[in-house]
Amino acid sequence: MNNTNKTRTGTLIAIQDSLVKARFFSNVIMGETAQIMVDGKSLQAEVLQIAPDPKNPEAGIAEMQVFEDLTGAQIGATVEFTGKPLSVLLGPGLLTSIWDGLQNPLYKLSEQNAYLVPGMKAAALDEEKLWDFTPSVAVGDVVSGGDAIGTVPEGRLNHKILVPFNFDKCTVESIIEKKSVNITETVAVIRDKQDVKHDVKLAFRWAVKSPIPFKSRAIPSKTISTGVRVIDFLAPVSYGGTVGNPGPFGAGKTVLQHSLCKYALADIIIMAACGERAGEAVEVFKDFAELEDPSTGDSLMNRMCIFGNTSSMPVAAREASVFIALTVGEYYRYQGYSVVLLADSTSRWAQALRERSGRQGDIPGPEAFPMDIPDQIKGMYQRAGADEGTGGSLTFIGTVSPAGGNFQEPVTQATMDATGGFWGLSQDRADAKKYPAIDPLAYTSSVYDSFISWTDRNKMLQTLDEANGIDQTISTIGLKKVPLEKYVLYQKGLTIDFCVMQQNAFHEQDACTRPDRLVIINEAVQKLIDSSIQFAQEGMEDEEVKVLVKNKFDELRQWWRDWNGTAVSSEEQAVLPQKVEQFILQEEYSL
Amino acid sequence: MIRKEINRISEVGKALISVEGNPGVALNHVVELLEADTNQSLSFAKAINITEDSTRFQVFNGTQGLSTQTKIRMHEVPLSAGFSHNMLGRSFDGVGDVADGGPEIIFEKEVSTRLDTLNPTVRLVPKQPLWTGIPMIDVFNTLVKSQKIPIFAGPTEPYNRLLSQIAQGAQADVIIFAGIGLKFDEYHYFKEQLSQSGNIDKTIMFSHLAGDSQIKGLMLPDVALSVAREFADQGKDVLVLLTDMTNWSNILRNVANYQDQIPSLQGYPGSLYSELAKRYEVAADIEGAGSITIIGATTLESLEDPVPDNTGYITEGQFFLESGKLKLARSLSRLKQQVNGDTRSDHRPIMTAMASLLADAEKAYEAAEVGAANDAFSQKLLRYREDFIANMEEPFGDPIELNAALDRCWDILKRHFEPTETGLSKKLIDEYWK
């Protein structure tokens, strides 16, 4: 990157919403950040385009998006180009933090003002906090980008202090002893091949649009226990996988995201609250802080960090918020941790791009989205993945908010194309309050064997599918004309749907189901699917038998639902397959 | 203070004017338009697009009667709203000018209308229910203090009556009425209702009537919400009634078109979502201060229209009014889980059970239309459906307390079903099925 010595400046010549143009005479770098002076405050901007100046052959025009409200900006205002692209500060202290979309810590900002007024800034990470540094290299060792030179404990994690990724084969000139240091102190000096010395600190900045490399990229293979039954049974996701989660409003995306936040087994959860309701992010960092991490018993917030560019915050910073969150995820993946990134919602991110391209006067694609939106979405999801070399993974689960709930719109389509998994939320299921409203018949997953075998999964699916078909038949020709055996199959499907696929996210016991319990449930489900049950008794009319079948299944379902909410010990859990067995044999059993 | 004046307007369009060159006006700053000969004030306007070659303004009172001779006087401040406790009981237009013929107000202070985002860390997680006495809301979709929630309704539905009924029972210190594109009878109705319920002394009305200047309608929510926010900052619990946000969105669409913006869906600008969100997100329970609750009205032809669709993604649920009934299937309060766990033990389970049965009943109803609901259980469901619509989805009636409404739920279930058919746990059945 071109580092000119003197400050490079320009002057504003056009202002419209968050988009400005500046005339410059020196040099401007595509993608670099700039500071714009408005009412004595400096606002951050990013260069989007560079063009010649039709009025002055000596000058150029830089088009920029500004990340803050420009009220009060005037023609002629000074623009200072920084030479640096938009970047994120990586180091210990990331976890438990809550930032805006540009990594300004929100709690620190609230000390200045209850409202986010333009021009407010604060250090991304606490610069005074001391960390116990333990070196892991010695003077004379050769290190490259991504190598650890030491560690500090960060909560329960061992945070590796990495050499920034752009260095190659540097010699350690000096390194400090085991000591408490803050992120601004130099802990080591390394010398590169050109004999230039560089200070290494606990934290360093990295450009958000330059993906942090993998050590050795691998195909995601191990399934995450999300605690959500319909996902773990039918649409599992792997460590390092990608999922798009579209749904019309009110279909339960938020509740599902919150469940994943709480129960997904991962070392780190990053939330990019991108263009959505502020209240939902607040619920996460205020209420979830009091909840326990399922795997460690620690406060849930200790494994989380949140980037909040909520819906009323400046739109231009929305795009940045997702890239910043991705970069933090990649950083922890490189340290060997499993990271789940929840981005809510990628549609708002795409809309931010749409607003911008509209202002720039680009030729619009479908629904006025930029023509290249599918490529941009693919590029974003591609940054997720598993790393064999470090043992870490970054899983990317993005919600999609399709206009009108129509999955044919450009962002949903591009997301389906970009991701390995797809959890489609159904309006009909949500209307019937069947939650989570992931349609068991409208999902995809690239994972084959997970907690249950592929064959078992398919049998489950087939039963649900057939039951759905019979349901439609009943609605069109009436129950009377449906053969008894079909009606029993329908009741089986109904039972699997009601007792297994549906889950109460607000119930202490029912909200999360772990793999050991999934196996028990699967045993019961498979028994039920394989069974042939004799309901008919001598002399009974068809209609009477059907009433009997319904009553029997109603009883079973009520019992099973109770079991979902109460059975905790392994003995209590083991009762389920036995009960189903008794049900199949039509033995008397106590409810 | 002598204010700089510009003498040359180069372009007059619908709601917008432009001047050549850059007179030194800053983005979003206000200018005043004056009759060239008499210096009589014609309107205020706001700078929205500035280049070194031209400057464009939105004119608050519309552009009829403006000429290239009209003078522009610069005020060098962004639009602010006057704030005073004396505004209570009074009526204003979209930019905060007195509109009830009463005396001018001496404002205590000017508040910014920029609607800066509240720092999320200062928000409290909403936990206080607002009881309305309407069973469909209290039992199934409990309203919570600081919630933002619209009524979705067709243009001929009694949504304003519902809005006014909710407002009358609301436990709020201050009610801010923000009406955009109102018909005169709607304006009159609200004024009457608020007077009759004895709430008028704690109410401030901001009204924009259909046919008034579009820019004034466009500004109205910002002015009303800025005043609401000032009351909340002073510790008051404020209820804002926003009706009808579809009218507001249509003005936004018109103005975007005058500005030659590229439309996204049905002519609305791509920023529709962000623009709506900026207003609704003002709702908040603020740490160490008061709160703002927003109940809106969004008229619609179809749920897939851009305005209700975008609104649904922004607000914390919606109340869906159809054929005069509050429909369970499409209504949702996203914050109800924050409060309905602390009520009677049967509240959540009976809500789920009844909803699930109603969904089945809707299916049976569709089947019945083709003569396929011929079994005994389908018949039960059909009778249940009728009972539910009459006794649960009716919003207009005597207010009923939560526990009485829950008892009514059990009565309905008992009238039609056997205990196991409800999907309710044995424990609850034992306790409440009497």
Side-chain angles (χ1 to χ4, degrees):
Chain A
M1 193 160 283
N2 188 349
N3 280 317
T4 40
N5 296 330
K6 60 178 194 300
T7 20
R8 293 170 300 123
T9 57
T11 48
L12 279 195
I13 57 161
I15 309 161
Q16 186 199 357
D17 298 305
S18 60
L19 209 64
V20 299
K21 286 180 183 168
R23 176 173 292 126
F24 64 91
F25 288 93
S26 48
N27 180 34
V28 165
I29 308 159
M30 179 69 172
E32 74 174 309
T33 52
Q35 302 289 338
I36 296 173
M37 295 308 293
V38 174
D39 285 342
K41 288 173 290 196
S42 82
L43 308 184
Q44 202 181 359
E46 181 187 24
V47 175
L48 299 177
Q49 200 168 316
I50 305 167
D53 185 348
K55 289 185 183 168
N56 187 340
E58 306 281 301
I61 290 175
E63 193 167 7
M64 295 174 281
Q65 62 172 339
V66 185
F67 298 124
E68 294 167 271
D69 185 280
L70 274 163
T71 295
Q74 277 183 303
I75 298 301
T78 305
V79 179
E80 215 171 89
F81 297 99
T82 66
K84 293 177 184 126
L86 189 66
S87 64
V88 56
L89 187 63
L90 302 169
L94 287 164
L95 295 184
T96 73
S97 291
I98 297 139
W99 297 281
D100 71 2
L102 296 171
Q103 213 192 10
N104 288 302
L106 289 172
Y107 274 107
K108 277 268 184 260
L109 292 185
S110 72
E111 292 166 10
Q112 302 172 33
N113 194 321
Y115 295 96
L116 300 174
V117 295
M120 283 208 299
K121 286 180 182 65
L125 295 174
D126 190 335
E127 292 178 346
E128 269 145 46
K129 188 176 161 96
L130 292 175
W131 301 91
D132 293 326
F133 176 77
T134 309
S136 62
V137 293
V139 172
D141 285 357
V142 175
V143 291
S144 289
D147 287 344
I149 58 155
T151 59
V152 301
E154 180 184 19
R156 303 178 62 92
L157 300 187
N158 212 5
H159 191 116
K160 289 179 185 156
I161 304 307
L162 304 180
V163 175
F165 301 97
N166 50 335
F167 289 108
D168 187 35
K169 295 198 182 65
C170 299
T171 311
V172 177
E173 284 277 302
S174 68
I175 180 139
I176 63 163
E177 299 284 295
K178 186 171 167 46
K179 191 185 163 195
S180 288
V181 288
N182 68 34
I183 60 165
T184 66
E185 294 175 70
T186 299
V187 293
V189 176
I190 57 174
R191 182 167 40 84
D192 68 20
K193 286 182 284 188
Q194 283 78 41
D195 269 342
V196 182
K197 289 180 183 173
H198 304 274
D199 290 350
V200 179
K201 299 173 180 175
L202 298 190
F204 63 92
R205 299 203 77 91
W206 190 256
V208 299
K209 288 183 184 163
S210 309
I212 290 175
F214 289 84
K215 208 170 212 174
S216 168
R217 189 166 188 169
I219 300 288
S221 56
K222 200 170 154 239
T223 310
I224 303 177
S225 163
T226 66
V228 180
R229 288 190 293 264
V230 61
I231 292 174
D232 291 354
F233 269 134
L234 298 181
V237 54
S238 302
Y239 289 99
T242 52
V243 178
N245 178 207
F249 64 83
K253 284 191 297 298
T254 308
V255 175
L256 184 59
Q257 289 259 317
H258 284 186
S259 286
L260 294 170
C261 256
K262 286 191 233 176
Y263 305 117
L265 285 187
D267 297 319
I268 293 163
I269 306 274
I270 301 175
M271 242 189 116
C274 172
E276 292 288 312
R277 306 174 186 91
E280 286 165 5
V282 173
E283 200 186 325
V284 171
F285 66 73
K286 293 211 165 159
D287 280 4
F288 289 18
E290 290 158 29
L291 300 175
E292 274 187 11
D293 178 345
S295 43
T296 62
D298 229 6
S299 160
L300 205 55
M301 247 338 264
N302 287 350
R303 68 164 186 171
M304 288 193 68
C305 61
I306 298 174
F307 292 92
N309 178 272
T310 57
S311 57
S312 64
M313 293 189 191
V315 177
R318 243 187 241 165
E319 183 199 3
S321 69
V322 176
F323 284 112
I324 286 183
L326 269 168
T327 312
V328 170
E330 290 170 336
Y331 173 69
Y332 277 110
R333 174 178 64 201
Y334 206 94
Q335 303 208 12
Y337 294 111
S338 57
V339 184
V340 173
L341 169 61
L342 301 165
D344 186 14
S345 117
T346 57
S347 296
R348 304 301 162 219
W349 172 86
Q351 285 179 351
L353 299 182
R354 174 168 73 183
E355 281 188 39
R356 189 180 82 194
S357 77
R359 284 193 192 108
Q360 284 187 281
D362 293 350
I363 296 170
E367 294 187 17
F369 282 105
M371 213 69 96
D372 63 353
I373 201 82
D375 305 290
Q376 300 210 42
I377 288 173
K378 263 190 200 161
M380 190 171 71
Y381 279 100
Q382 269 303 303
R383 291 179 69 167
D387 193 338
E388 245 170 17
T390 64
S393 63
L394 171 58
T395 310
F396 189 152
I397 301 174
T399 65
V400 183
S401 321
N406 170 16
F407 287 4
Q408 303 308 313
E409 60 90 38
V411 178
T412 312
Q413 286 298 307
T415 304
M416 285 175 80
D417 199 20
T419 58
F422 178 79
W423 301 334
L425 296 176
S426 135
Q427 183 75 60
D428 287 347
R429 287 182 73 82
D431 283 353
K433 315 290 173 200
K434 292 177 180 171
Y435 291 119
I438 297 175
D439 191 336
L441 302 174
Y443 72 88
T444 58
S445 166
S446 54
V447 179
Y448 289 91
D449 280 316
S450 58
F451 304 111
I452 62 169
S453 73
W454 177 242
T455 325
D456 282 1
R457 193 165 126 197
N458 264 340
K459 271 166 66 187
M460 218 184 261
L461 202 57
Q462 202 187 339
T463 309
L464 287 167
D465 196 14
E466 285 179 42
N468 187 48
I470 301 164
D471 185 29
Q472 283 169 12
T473 312
I474 295 173
S475 307
T476 37
I477 62 167
L479 185 55
K480 273 184 187 158
K481 294 179 187 157
V482 174
L484 181 62
E485 67 189 88
K486 290 283 177 198
Y487 186 62
V488 172
L489 179 57
Y490 163 68
Q491 289 291 343
K492 284 178 183 174
L494 215 58
T495 307
I496 298 170
D497 188 349
F498 186 73
C499 305
V500 181
M501 299 306 147
Q502 294 173 42
Q503 192 171 359
N504 184 348
F506 300 97
H507 189 286
E508 206 184 337
Q509 285 304 322
D510 196 27
C512 172
T513 307
R514 290 293 170 211
D516 54 338
R517 195 172 164 107
L518 291 179
V519 170
I520 294 168
I521 295 171
N522 183 47
E523 192 190 331
V525 167
Q526 298 301 329
K527 271 189 184 163
L528 188 67
I529 294 174
D530 293 336
S531 65
S532 65
I533 312 170
Q534 282 307 313
F535 287 102
Q537 289 158 17
E538 201 108 344
M540 276 175 106
E541 300 269 334
D542 177 72
E543 193 171 354
E544 264 179 281
V545 183
K546 281 177 182 158
V547 170
L548 178 73
V549 169
K550 182 178 182 307
N551 288 343
K552 292 276 186 188
F553 270 100
D554 275 343
E555 282 171 11
L556 175 70
R557 283 191 284 263
Q558 188 189 45
W559 183 88
W560 195 327
R561 270 270 174 122
D562 282 352
W563 178 89
N564 281 343
T566 52
V568 181
S569 69
S570 49
E571 295 83 47
E572 286 168 321
Q573 294 194 29
V575 173
L576 178 69
Q578 295 166 22
K579 286 284 172 190
V580 170
E581 184 79 45
Q582 287 169 335
F583 172 79
I584 292 165
L585 298 171
Q586 287 298 294
E587 287 173 356
E588 284 300 315
Y589 65 105
S590 58
L591 287 166
Chain B
M1 174 176 159
I2 298 165
R3 290 188 160 126
K4 200 174 150 189
E5 292 184 0
I6 316 161
N7 287 322
R8 179 90 193 147
I9 292 178
S10 57
E11 206 180 316
V12 182
K14 279 184 184 165
L16 304 176
I17 56 167
S18 298
V19 298
E20 265 174 40
N22 163 47
V25 67
L27 189 71
N28 293 337
H29 279 198
V30 172
V31 296
E32 192 174 3
L33 305 181
L34 307 167
E35 175 74 54
D37 305 329
T38 62
N39 267 358
Q40 185 203 343
S41 178
L42 299 171
S43 176
F44 284 87
K46 180 176 96 163
I48 53 160
N49 190 349
I50 316 169
T51 72
E52 55 182 359
D53 302 324
S54 71
T55 306
R56 204 174 226 191
F57 300 89
Q58 287 177 345
V59 183
F60 296 173
N61 289 352
T63 54
Q64 284 297 323
L66 299 186
S67 77
T68 54
Q69 305 287 313
T70 304
K71 272 199 287 193
I72 298 179
R73 179 180 289 167
M74 288 167 52
H75 279 238
E76 297 183 356
V77 285
L79 180 71
S80 58
F83 173 85
S84 162
H85 285 80
N86 294 329
M87 293 169 85
L88 293 166
R90 300 288 304 274
S91 198
F92 301 86
D93 74 0
V95 288
D97 291 335
V98 170
D100 54 7
E104 285 298 314
I105 303 257
I106 297 160
F107 292 114
E108 292 158 30
K109 65 192 289 192
E110 292 287 320
V111 294
S112 161
T113 59
R114 198 170 54 194
L115 299 180
D116 289 323
T117 300
L118 182 68
N119 187 317
T121 59
V122 184
R123 279 176 184 264
L124 297 171
V125 177
K127 304 260 182 201
Q128 291 183 50
L130 285 179
W131 301 114
T132 63
I134 301 171
M136 185 43 64
I137 296 178
D138 293 351
V139 175
F140 291 91
N141 287 300
T142 320
L143 187 64
V144 181
K145 193 171 95 182
S146 87
Q147 190 157 10
K148 44 184 180 287
I149 191 163
I151 298 165
F152 280 0
T156 56
E157 295 287 338
Y159 58 93
N160 280 331
R161 184 174 164 206
L162 181 60
L163 200 58
S164 139
Q165 175 154 337
I166 296 171
Q168 281 169 35
Q171 307 95 318
D173 301 323
V174 175
I175 299 173
I176 304 270
F177 173 83
I180 306 116
L182 295 177
K183 297 191 281 285
F184 181 77
D185 55 337
E186 292 174 310
Y187 165 75
H188 188 73
Y189 174 78
F190 273 102
K191 195 151 194 176
E192 285 289 296
Q193 289 296 313
L194 288 160
S195 303
Q196 280 171 16
S197 62
N199 280 329
I200 198 77
D201 290 341
K202 60 175 185 180
T203 301
I204 303 174
M205 292 187 79
F206 292 90
S207 308
H208 168 264
L209 299 185
D212 285 357
S213 140
Q214 296 196 70
I215 302 299
K216 276 192 177 174
L218 192 63
M219 309 289 231
L220 189 141
D222 296 8
V223 170
L225 289 166
S226 300
V227 171
R229 185 176 259 185
E230 181 60 28
F231 276 110
D233 283 342
Q234 294 185 10
K236 297 282 191 284
D237 286 326
V238 185
L239 172 67
V240 179
L241 307 175
L242 271 180
T243 181
D244 156 2
M245 284 304 270
T246 302
N247 291 343
W248 183 80
S249 306
N250 291 344
I251 297 175
L252 186 76
R253 168 166 69 179
N254 296 345
V255 175
N257 288 338
Y258 303 153
Q259 290 175 224
D260 303 321
Q261 287 183 19
I262 297 171
S264 57
L265 279 178
Q266 291 184 26
Y268 291 99
S271 60
L272 178 63
Y273 173 85
S274 305
E275 297 288 359
L276 285 167
K278 187 174 168 188
R279 278 82 199 176
Y280 279 113
E281 282 281 312
V282 169
D285 197 348
I286 308 165
E287 201 173 281
S291 69
I292 298 172
T293 307
I294 299 180
I295 305 178
T298 301
T299 51
L300 49 86
E301 299 293 338
S302 147
L303 265 182
E304 281 79 39
D305 290 347
V307 178
D309 185 52
N310 279 292
T311 303
Y313 283 113
I314 292 162
T315 52
E316 286 151 341
Q318 66 282 332
F319 297 128
F320 194 80
L321 194 62
E322 190 180 65
S323 309
K325 307 285 187 201
L326 260 177
K327 301 309 284 183
L328 173 64
R330 281 298 170 87
S331 297
L332 170 71
S333 161
R334 291 172 182 272
L335 301 185
K336 65 182 171 190
Q337 302 291 349
Q338 299 288 358
V339 295
N340 66 8
D342 306 324
T343 50
R344 222 167 73 176
S345 65
D346 56 334
H347 188 167
R348 279 186 188 172
I350 203 161
M351 184 179 86
T352 315
M354 287 190 93
S356 176
L357 285 167
L358 190 73
D360 291 343
E362 289 298 339
K363 267 169 63 184
Y365 181 73
E366 280 169 28
E369 288 188 326
V370 292
N374 45 17
D375 58 297
F377 189 66
S378 293
Q379 293 301 320
K380 279 188 184 184
L381 286 170
L382 291 178
R383 286 191 295 271
Y384 163 71
R385 182 177 172 276
E386 261 177 48
D387 201 350
F388 191 91
I389 293 172
N391 287 303
M392 280 290 143
E393 293 190 333
E394 173 61 57
F396 306 112
D398 293 334
I400 161 169
E401 299 261 325
L402 176 70
N403 285 354
L406 288 169
D407 291 342
R408 189 189 279 184
C409 290
W410 286 102
D411 289 341
I412 294 175
L413 287 181
K414 278 187 283 182
R415 276 203 282 276
H416 306 286
F417 299 108
E418 296 301 317
T420 52
E421 288 171 338
T422 62
L424 284 158
S425 76
K426 182 140 191 319
K427 188 162 161 275
L428 280 172
I429 298 281
D430 289 346
E431 195 176 342
Y432 292 101
W433 196 280
K434 286 167 195 145

